Amino acid sequence: MALRLNFQNKLFLTAFATAALALVVAGLLFTRTMRRQTEQRIEQTLAAEARLATALLNHEAANLDAEADRLGLLIGARVTLIAADGRVVGDSAEPADALAGLENHALRPEIVDATGAVPGRARRYSTTLGTDMLYMAVKVASTTVAYIRVALPLTDLDEQLRSVVIATGTALGVALLGGGLLALLLSVRLGHRVRAIAATAERYRQGDLRPVRFDFGDDELGSVARTLDATVQELATRLQEQARDRARTEAILSGMIEGVLVVDSSARVQLVNNAARQHAHKSILDITT
């Protein structure tokens, strides 16, 4: 059997679903915006750190891998020193004896895009560290190092966003609860008014045309109810006037000694007084005798 919902439940479900949809969309948009802004901020920070590493680079350093380690500690990110031919000559995340086994970086997107004024940027999975990384490379005017690349794992971005997402989810949950309570209160109030109007209409249908004693409200629903009540009361007034006129007419006719018979256009009897009844009765008796 299909579940039938009354007006109040339908109104509550509609209002609650609308509020839930609006909050979910707002939450998704907010989270997306926050992620984009956080990514932009991290990229700007990483570009600034790459330029800072360029300024702090010791061009006379004999051990470039140790220099990369030093720069990595100073700026708190992975630092890679790359020669003009694409060889990795220093990396804060790799030991010196492992540098020879690293791939040539000459064709890496961040290296290709790096110019004298604009840093190169790329995002990809790092097989060395086993995680997604954001890379920012800056060109260096040096004979030993042509590029300095700074990298940051995107897990840091997820960590920063996690607290934002949790706070946003909590706020949306509270807002949804409040919206549900408001929807419930609204549906209960409107449902009570609709039931009262329906009960009044049923009372009118059964012939009880007494005026309504409760307030219909000032909105469109109240306007419809007041119009209905005014129409019914006007009809009741006309019926009372017709009843009084009929009673007055019957009183006048009953006092007449002449027989009066009123018929409509279809020859149906509409009104007959006592004199006419008596005359008809006497005529029937005369015929039978």
Side-chain angles (χ1 to χ4, degrees):
M1 179 182 293
L3 179 62
R4 298 184 60 184
L5 299 177
N6 57 25
F7 174 80
Q8 178 177 320
N9 292 334
K10 290 180 180 179
L11 181 62
F12 169 74
L13 291 177
T14 301
F16 184 78
T18 302
L21 180 60
L23 290 174
V24 169
V25 172
L28 292 176
L29 291 177
F30 178 77
T31 303
R32 182 178 180 183
T33 301
M34 286 298 301
R35 184 178 186 87
R36 183 170 60 250
Q37 292 178 351
T38 303
E39 288 179 353
Q40 292 175 352
R41 178 173 53 81
I42 289 178
E43 289 179 3
Q44 293 172 358
T45 302
L46 204 59
E49 289 176 349
R51 294 189 181 95
L52 177 61
T54 301
L56 296 176
L57 176 65
N58 181 6
H59 298 273
E60 305 299 330
N63 188 340
L64 292 178
D65 187 63
E67 180 65 11
D69 293 341
R70 184 182 71 85
L71 294 175
L73 289 175
L74 288 176
I75 66 176
R78 179 187 179 185
V79 176
T80 303
L81 304 181
I82 304 170
D85 58 0
R87 291 180 299 107
V88 178
V89 295
D91 194 311
S92 62
E94 295 289 339
D97 56 0
L99 297 180
L102 296 180
E103 296 180 3
N104 189 284
H105 284 36
L107 298 180
R108 295 291 172 88
E110 65 275 11
I111 302 301
V112 174
D113 294 341
T115 64
V118 180
R121 172 190 174 278
R123 179 187 300 184
R124 64 178 177 274
Y125 182 79
S126 172
T127 56
T128 303
L129 300 180
T131 185
D132 290 330
M133 300 287 291
L134 177 63
Y135 298 96
M136 198 73 64
V138 177
K139 196 169 185 180
V140 182
S142 174
T143 57
T144 55
V145 178
Y147 301 93
I148 292 181
R149 189 185 69 178
V150 179
L152 190 69
L154 292 180
T155 52
D156 293 353
L157 172 63
D158 295 334
E159 288 293 336
Q160 295 184 37
L161 286 175
R162 184 172 292 110
S163 59
V164 175
V165 171
I166 292 175
T168 302
T170 302
L172 291 178
V174 174
L176 183 59
L177 179 61
L181 291 176
L182 289 177
L184 179 61
L185 292 176
L186 176 63
S187 62
V188 168
R189 182 177 179 183
L190 288 179
H192 174 72
R193 293 173 60 196
V194 169
R195 287 192 297 272
I197 294 174
T200 301
E202 177 64 20
R203 180 164 58 83
Y204 289 160
R205 188 185 69 83
Q206 294 177 359
D208 185 356
L209 304 182
R210 291 174 300 170
V212 179
R213 301 300 182 186
F214 65 87
D215 183 16
F216 290 114
D218 298 328
D219 55 9
E220 290 81 357
L221 184 61
S223 178
V224 171
R226 281 192 297 273
T227 301
L228 174 63
D229 183 64
T231 302
V232 171
Q233 296 308 315
E234 182 179 355
L235 177 61
T237 300
R238 292 181 179 179
L239 290 176
Q240 291 175 358
E241 291 176 353
Q242 290 179 0
R244 286 194 297 268
D245 291 342
R246 186 179 183 88
R248 186 181 305 111
T249 301
E250 289 179 349
I252 294 173
L253 293 177
S254 62
M256 297 176 63
I257 60 176
E258 297 85 357
V260 178
L261 184 67
V262 179
V263 296
D264 60 11
S265 58
S266 301
R268 289 192 295 266
V269 177
Q270 298 295 315
L271 189 64
V272 59
N273 66 350
N274 291 331
R277 291 191 186 95
Q278 292 174 1
H279 179 72
H281 181 68
K282 182 178 179 182
S283 297
I284 294 172
L285 292 177
D286 292 341
I287 292 173
T288 56
T289 57

